[in-house]
Amino acid sequence: PKKHMFRPQLVVLGYAGATNSESDLSDPPDGIIQFASGIEMHHLFMLVHDDMMDGATFRRGEETLTVALCRSDSTTHLNQETAQYLATIVGDILFAKSSELMLKGAALSNSSSSVDIVLEAAIRAGGAQFEDILGWSGLGNKKENDQAFERIMSDKAAYHGFVAPLIAGIRLSNQQNNKDLETACTLWGLRAGAAFQGLDDISDLTQSPVESGKDQLQDIHEGRLSLPLFLLRDRASEDELNRIAEILRMNKANSCPLSIPDRIFLFDLIEKYKLIKEAALIVEAEIKAAECVVKEREAISEVPILQEGLNVFNAGLRKALDKLVN
């Protein structure tokens, strides 16, 4: 699949896998195209709001919406606050349009349950985002930390970005007795999606601000619940955790940038506990689990179109991991 817009591709793949038809993969019906378009537009709506929360300046190599709206060469010459308001409105419009497209696609395919799983996934993603914003302040003992980690990894990206589009595509086919297929595809989506989220978290530490649009240490500075930060919380000493807590407290109180000593301290911790390497090992395990699902689950392996398509996604995840690590 292409690097971006993989969610609509999963909708089409799920539909073609359920019908077991090559033509449905290469030339899907109009209802499937509309639904898949709605899925991507819903994702764009979430990206607009996500960029606003992160204060990101770049997305996919281009200026984020807020930055584009208040550029110095813009004829409107908007200030930051006004640009934020307008970006919020654009996000709301994207949400409304995405809902319209998905509802039309579901109606053409006579499948209301396809919309149900997307809405369920959006609610779960919202809950995970809520926990992510609360960050370390919302965590408790180790058991609660582990549970929060599982929710973040599954709900923030896996269920919303992988499971829901794939299952929605299956349901749009209106084929009978798809329970085993949905179960197998859900297992794959949870594993592949967790790997994708882990890759995204690692890239925030390894990519330059020019590539990612934000500071490499921003997630740690804000106490966000990324994979490397969970690992750091689990491995750091009590004195180290206390200093991190003080850094987070200062940021919350003053929204001040990281000082040079604090940056050195955090980068030293990343190196000391080999956070990038450890996170990459977790991502590797998730990719292997996704590959095993595709190979061993009969509901998938008996449908060559679906098996081949999911293997392409697995290969893409592995290639992305190799690029980040090497």
Side-chain angles (χ1 to χ4, degrees):
K2 293 181 180 179
K3 182 178 179 181
H4 306 304
M5 299 212 313
F6 66 82
R7 294 163 184 81
Q9 293 179 67
L10 283 172
V11 174
V12 176
L13 180 60
Y15 178 79
T19 60
N20 198 15
S21 169
E22 288 279 0
S23 62
D24 284 336
L25 187 62
S26 59
D27 187 24
D30 186 57
I32 308 306
I33 293 175
Q34 288 204 43
F35 193 96
S37 300
I39 283 279
E40 180 62 16
M41 196 165 288
H42 187 268
H43 174 60
L44 292 177
F45 142 72
M46 298 187 78
L47 289 186
V48 168
H49 285 197
D50 193 51
D51 286 341
M52 291 167 60
M53 288 186 290
D54 286 345
T57 54
F58 287 92
R59 169 73 70 174
R60 298 176 179 177
E62 303 289 340
E63 291 177 334
T64 56
L65 180 59
T66 304
V67 172
L69 286 170
C70 61
R71 271 180 310 169
S72 59
D73 62 344
S74 171
T75 56
T76 51
H77 298 293
L78 301 173
N79 60 38
Q80 181 73 18
E81 185 178 35
T82 303
Q84 290 271 20
Y85 292 154
L86 292 177
T88 301
I89 294 170
V90 171
D92 293 343
I93 293 171
L94 286 169
F95 175 75
K97 187 62 180 178
S98 70
S99 300
E100 178 188 39
L101 286 168
M102 285 190 286
L103 288 170
K104 284 183 176 180
L108 287 171
S109 304
N110 193 28
S111 173
S112 61
S113 63
S114 57
V115 179
D116 293 342
I117 192 165
V118 175
L119 295 178
E120 177 196 351
I123 292 170
R124 291 176 61 164
Q129 191 72 53
F130 191 91
E131 284 192 284
D132 187 30
I133 295 297
L134 283 178
W136 280 27
S137 63
L139 297 179
N141 56 41
K142 187 178 187 306
K143 182 179 179 181
E144 291 172 342
N145 293 352
D146 292 343
Q147 291 172 341
F149 171 71
E150 292 176 4
R151 285 195 301 273
I152 291 289
M153 294 299 285
S154 65
D155 292 355
K156 190 176 176 183
Y159 201 82
H160 180 262
F162 285 75
V163 174
L166 189 57
I167 301 304
I170 293 172
R171 293 181 180 180
L172 287 166
S173 71
N174 275 313
Q175 301 292 309
Q176 301 298 314
N177 302 318
N178 274 333
K179 185 177 181 180
D180 289 344
L181 183 59
E182 286 196 16
T183 299
C185 286
T186 297
L187 290 174
W188 174 83
L190 290 174
R191 301 281 66 83
F196 180 84
Q197 181 62 54
L199 286 168
D200 189 59
D201 290 342
I202 294 172
S203 69
D204 285 340
L205 285 178
T206 59
Q207 288 184 328
S208 71
V210 174
E211 294 174 295
S212 66
K214 63 181 183 180
D215 189 299
Q216 289 169 294
L217 293 174
Q218 181 171 324
D219 285 348
I220 294 179
H221 188 203
E222 295 178 351
R224 303 288 283 272
L225 301 182
S226 65
L227 173 56
L229 198 56
F230 272 110
L231 293 173
L232 178 58
R233 186 180 173 90
D234 188 54
R235 288 158 173 70
S237 68
E238 184 175 350
D239 287 343
E240 290 166 339
L241 289 173
N242 287 337
R243 182 166 175 185
I244 295 171
E246 178 62 16
I247 292 172
L248 299 182
R249 187 190 69 77
M250 291 295 294
N251 178 56
K252 185 176 181 180
N254 305 312
S255 297
C256 55
L258 279 168
S259 67
I260 292 177
D262 285 343
R263 293 185 71 84
I264 294 173
F265 169 70
L266 292 174
F267 275 123
D268 284 347
L269 288 183
I270 292 169
E271 179 63 27
K272 176 181 179 179
Y273 294 109
K274 301 183 180 348
L275 296 184
I276 294 173
K277 180 180 179 181
E278 292 296 312
L281 289 174
I282 292 175
V283 171
E284 166 74 15
E286 295 291 356
I287 295 173
K288 284 184 177 179
E291 292 169 341
C292 286
V293 171
V294 174
K295 180 180 179 181
E296 298 174 3
R297 285 280 174 162
E298 289 185 1
I300 294 175
S301 62
E302 291 178 348
V303 186
I305 298 171
L306 183 59
Q307 185 178 45
E308 181 180 351
L310 295 180
N311 276 331
V312 170
F313 276 89
N314 291 337
L317 291 170
R318 188 165 289 284
K319 181 178 179 181
L321 177 61
D322 291 342
K323 182 179 179 181
L324 279 178
V325 172
N326 297 325

